[in-house]
Structures are given as structure tokens and as C-alpha cells.
Amino acid sequence: MGFKDVFFVCFLFVLVSIVVSGRELRSISKPDPDDGVGTARWLASQNTWGVLSTISLELKGAPFGNVVSFSDGLPDKGSGIPYFYLTTLDPTARNALKDERASLTVSEFSTGSCGKKDPENPSCAKLTLSGKLKLVQGNTKEAESAASALFAKHPEMKGWPKNHNFNFYKLDIEDIFLIDWFGGPKPITVDQYLRPRM
Amino acid sequence: MGFKDVFFVCFLFVLVSIVVSGRELRSISKPDPDDGVGTARWLASQNTWGVLSTISLELKGAPFGNVVSFSDGLPDKGSGIPYFYLTTLDPTARNALKDERASLTVSEFSTGSCGKKDPENPSCAKLTLSGKLKLVQGNTKEAESAASALFAKHPEMKGWPKNHNFNFYKLDIEDIFLIDWFGGPKPITVDQYLRPRM
């Protein structure tokens, strides 16, 4: 085994380490900041978790953010619509069943592609989808797609305890707040977001 | 250079890659899940960003989460109280000046110590601090500590444009929601959180 071979093995090792850490490579496909719709859809598709804010029953109407996993579809085949798997053992689902108003917030920082930028730097993109958090009725086509979308990105969910009564929920989007560059939020309509031109 | 030397260099390469990715090592000091207060303080101290939820003016009272940077003090010398550097060019500060009710949500997932656990798995800890988001008056002792706390963890902030009128804000904590294990939220009082026994 010559020096070149060993060097090649070394190189492979490092490459595998980077792929396993899985954070830097995802950034390759980040759309240009001018493409607000593309960036918003990219953030919804690349992130696997975010903060879902609802109006708190326990805290008498105060806003309450909670860490949740979500999925907008199969990897790289997202619809832009976030689906969730929630139980009313947790306040977020209880809040939503009383007051549907909710927002899901995700950060590019979680994907690892902001590098050394501060998470609050406008060029480290951030997305808030606001709307109504709705229970997806069981035994429907939509419940089936929600299950495929969520279980593909969150395989652990399949084994979550049946007696905790997890249900699928979705966010019906009514407003989109995207910061992906300096100069304030990008104006994006829900229609543009849901039907991006490729 | 023998095979052993090359192997050693290889090993060092991989180790350096892991250290540079910088995510796994921070987990060392995570408190035991039984120590709810310690875990909550650890989450507030280790995270550099979170989602700050307010009641939206533009969305007529709907909950609105926004990605923000924060700091509870100098690294490993946190007070547990999150400070922010916000501008009213952004809706979150505008919302808070009208209605102070707010919550800050952070996830252990951001620190890299959840490993392969799903972000919604209760053993991947999550913390929501709820209370009132208050402007810190300029030229006070508290404004000075807020500046030290924030600029230590977010050096980029020092250079943010003066004409954007950034101001320091803090969350006056009134309620603590912590999930760090199975079996529902840990009961933690604000007093316990602010004065943990070491």
C-alpha cells in the first residue's frame, strides 16, 4: 500500500465524516436570496423541527412556543404544508383545539448552512408560517399522506406509544414571514409559496 | 513514514473534524434529567438562539414566533434571564411594546447533544420561558450587563447598524415549561430556576 493509497483512504475518511455530520452539504442547494419563494420552500423542506406557537389556555391567552417535529412531505418532495404528530397530553394540541391560530418558525441556522453568521443576522434565513392548526381526520387520504411525510423524516414516531393518542395536525397557511437578506421581510403570497415556478 | 504514522495522522484528522463540527462535545455537561432546574438553566446557557413568540399586531392577535439571538450572561456564567438585542424594524419588538406577553423557546437539539433522538422525543430536552418582554432602559447598570452578556456570545452584534435603533430587551420570567424526560413537564418554579442550588 503506497503513500498515495493511504492518502486516498484518509481523504475518504474525512469525506465520510463530513457526510455523516450531514450539516454542511445540505447548504449546497440553498436558493439565492432573491428567490424568496424558493428560500421559504427550502427552509420548510430542509428543517425537521421548529417552534409551533399557539395561544396558551394555561397562561390565559399568552403566546406559547413549543418545540415540535414536522414534515412537509417526503425528503425533497415537500408540498410546503407542515404536518405534525401531536398529543393532547401536550399543551400545544390542547391550545389549538380551543384556538386554531398558530405559527411555525424555523431557522436556517438549524440546517448548518449559516456558517459563522449570527442566527439573528438577516442573511441567516428565518421563516414563520402563520395560520390555523387543524386536526387531520383519521382514515382519510390526507391522514395517509401526513403519515408518509412524517414517518419518512421521523422514523421514531412510528413506535410512539399508542395510548398517548397522537394525531396528525396540519398548518393551514395564511401568512408568510421570510427574512433571507437585509432590507426587511420578503413579500410572498401563500399562493406563490404553494405553487412555486420551478 | 510507516503505516502506523499514517494511521495516526488519519485518526487525528477525523478527531479534528469532529471537534470542528463542535456539536457532540458540548453535551458532556448536560445535567441528569432528574435535575430539572439544572437542565433548564443548562438549556438557557448553552443555546445562543431561540424562538421568541409574541402576540402579533399585524396578524390581529395571532401568536407570532420569530428567530432571535439571546444571552443569559457570559458563557457558563449565566443568570438564567434571557436578554435580546432587537429593533422595531422587526415585528417582535413592535408587538412587545404593545403587549408584553412573550415566550422564548429553545431546544436541546440545537446544542447537538440529542444524537439520533427525534427533536420531539421528550428525552431531547425543550424549554419555554414565558413572561413579559421588557425594554431595558439605556445608560443603566442593567443595559451594561445586557451588552456584556449579548456581545460575549454574539460578537457580530457590536457592528450592527446604529441607525436601525437596536435596543436591549429582557424576558421577565413568570412561567417555566420544561420537558426533559418522559412523563410530562417538570414542575419548576421561577424562584427555583433563578436561584438553583449548586
Side-chain angles (χ1 to χ4, degrees):
Chain A
M1 190 156 155
F3 183 78
K4 265 191 184 165
D5 297 329
V6 177
F7 185 80
F8 182 68
V9 170
C10 252
F11 178 75
L12 275 184
F13 251 57
V14 172
L15 201 67
V16 166
S17 313
I18 292 171
V19 172
V20 165
S21 86
R23 287 157 197 278
E24 309 311 321
L25 292 184
R26 287 198 214 153
S27 66
I28 291 170
S29 57
K30 187 192 171 190
D32 189 273
D34 285 343
D35 178 10
V37 172
T39 304
R41 289 291 296 268
W42 179 81
L43 285 168
S45 143
Q46 293 297 312
N47 277 285
T48 58
W49 67 278
V51 171
L52 188 55
S53 302
T54 50
I55 296 291
S56 169
L57 284 169
E58 284 166 52
L59 301 173
K60 298 177 180 115
F64 177 78
N66 203 352
V67 175
V68 295
S69 291
F70 75 93
S71 172
D72 78 329
L74 299 178
D76 300 317
K77 288 182 183 166
S79 65
I81 302 167
Y83 285 89
F84 309 91
Y85 198 44
L86 306 172
T87 157
T88 48
L89 291 174
D90 198 78
T92 299
R94 292 200 298 272
N95 293 342
L97 292 175
K98 267 284 187 203
D99 185 335
E100 295 179 313
R101 292 176 298 170
S103 72
L104 173 69
T105 306
V106 295
S107 169
E108 185 191 341
F109 206 82
S110 305
T111 73
S113 63
C114 288
K116 290 191 187 309
K117 285 178 212 159
D118 192 85
E120 203 173 299
N121 185 310
S123 67
C124 178
K126 30 193 96 44
L127 174 70
T128 300
L129 302 171
S130 295
K132 305 277 195 295
L133 189 63
K134 289 183 184 288
L135 184 67
V136 174
Q137 295 305 319
N139 300 316
T140 57
K141 275 257 171 221
E142 189 170 27
E144 262 176 51
S145 339
S148 314
L150 283 158
F151 297 165
K153 290 187 181 173
H154 305 278
E156 196 195 278
M157 285 179 172
K158 273 182 279 189
W160 286 358
K162 296 290 168 227
N163 63 350
H164 282 198
N165 295 318
F166 279 94
N167 278 299
F168 299 113
Y169 289 78
K170 77 162 164 181
L171 187 69
D172 260 355
I173 304 167
E174 296 174 352
D175 188 85
I176 294 158
F177 177 84
L178 172 77
I179 302 272
D180 72 346
W181 201 247
F182 307 93
K186 285 278 192 312
I188 299 177
T189 67
V190 177
D191 197 62
Q192 287 168 334
Y193 173 84
L194 292 177
R195 290 169 200 82
R197 275 179 296 170
M198 293 306 182
Chain B
M1 190 154 154
F3 183 77
K4 267 191 185 167
D5 297 328
V6 175
F7 184 80
F8 182 67
V9 169
C10 254
F11 178 75
L12 274 184
F13 251 57
V14 172
L15 201 68
V16 166
S17 312
I18 292 170
V19 172
V20 166
S21 88
R23 288 158 197 277
E24 309 312 319
L25 293 184
R26 288 198 214 153
S27 65
I28 292 169
S29 56
K30 187 193 170 189
D32 189 273
D34 284 344
D35 178 9
V37 172
T39 303
R41 288 292 295 267
W42 179 81
L43 285 169
S45 143
Q46 293 296 311
N47 277 286
T48 58
W49 68 277
V51 171
L52 187 54
S53 301
T54 50
I55 296 291
S56 169
L57 284 169
E58 284 166 51
L59 302 173
K60 298 176 179 113
F64 178 78
N66 204 351
V67 175
V68 295
S69 292
F70 75 93
S71 172
D72 79 328
L74 299 178
D76 300 316
K77 287 182 182 164
S79 64
I81 302 167
Y83 286 89
F84 310 90
Y85 198 44
L86 306 173
T87 157
T88 48
L89 292 175
D90 197 77
T92 299
R94 292 199 300 271
N95 294 342
L97 293 175
K98 268 285 186 201
D99 185 335
E100 296 179 313
R101 293 176 298 171
S103 71
L104 173 68
T105 305
V106 296
S107 169
E108 185 191 341
F109 206 82
S110 306
T111 73
S113 64
C114 287
K116 290 190 189 308
K117 285 178 212 160
D118 192 85
E120 202 174 300
N121 185 310
S123 67
C124 177
K126 31 194 94 48
L127 174 70
T128 300
L129 302 171
S130 295
K132 305 277 195 294
L133 189 63
K134 288 182 185 288
L135 184 67
V136 174
Q137 295 304 321
N139 300 316
T140 58
K141 275 255 173 226
E142 188 170 27
E144 262 176 51
S145 339
S148 314
L150 282 159
F151 298 165
K153 289 188 181 172
H154 305 278
E156 195 194 279
M157 285 179 173
K158 272 182 278 188
W160 287 357
K162 295 290 168 229
N163 63 351
H164 282 198
N165 295 317
F166 279 94
N167 277 300
F168 299 113
Y169 288 78
K170 78 162 162 180
L171 187 69
D172 261 355
I173 304 168
E174 296 175 352
D175 188 85
I176 294 159
F177 176 84
L178 171 76
I179 302 272
D180 72 345
W181 201 247
F182 308 93
K186 284 279 192 314
I188 299 177
T189 67
V190 177
D191 197 60
Q192 288 168 333
Y193 173 84
L194 293 177
R195 291 168 198 81
R197 275 179 295 170
M198 294 306 180

